[in-house]
Amino acid sequence: MIGNLFENIVVLEAMKARLNINKEPNLFYVRTEKGVEIDLILKKEGMLFPFEIKSSMTPNKDFSKNLKMFCDSEADSGQMTVVYCGENYESFQGCRYIHYTDIADTVKNQ
């Protein structure tokens, strides 16, 4: 249950950040027929920026698995980001990792 609550908090913070700067949220969720799930997608200027949300404090290469499958299938995909409770990493397994408190700045500047 903690993972679900954490995911909701992050999505609400992203939505709040976009609305506070008078921008359409343009935030989406997707789950394909094959079970590939992306927790949050920001659509900006025709690009899709996927986010995976995890309550873990430790980076894990499996966190980016669905992000990579999504980006491989979507030509208009941008930077892959994992939002979690640990330290920021500009690149870990080809994916950016950010602390959940940085989601507002990330979606404002994306």
Side-chain angles (χ1 to χ4, degrees), residues 8-20:
N8 285 331
I9 289 168
V10 171
V11 170
L12 288 172
E13 286 299 313
M15 183 175 287
K16 184 172 69 173
R18 298 283 296 168
L19 291 171
N20 282 340

Side-chain angles (χ1 to χ4, degrees), residues 52-64:
E52 181 70 23
I53 303 168
K54 297 291 185 185
S55 59
S56 172
M57 290 186 68
T58 308
N60 184 318
K61 66 180 179 180
D62 292 335
F63 292 169
S64 60

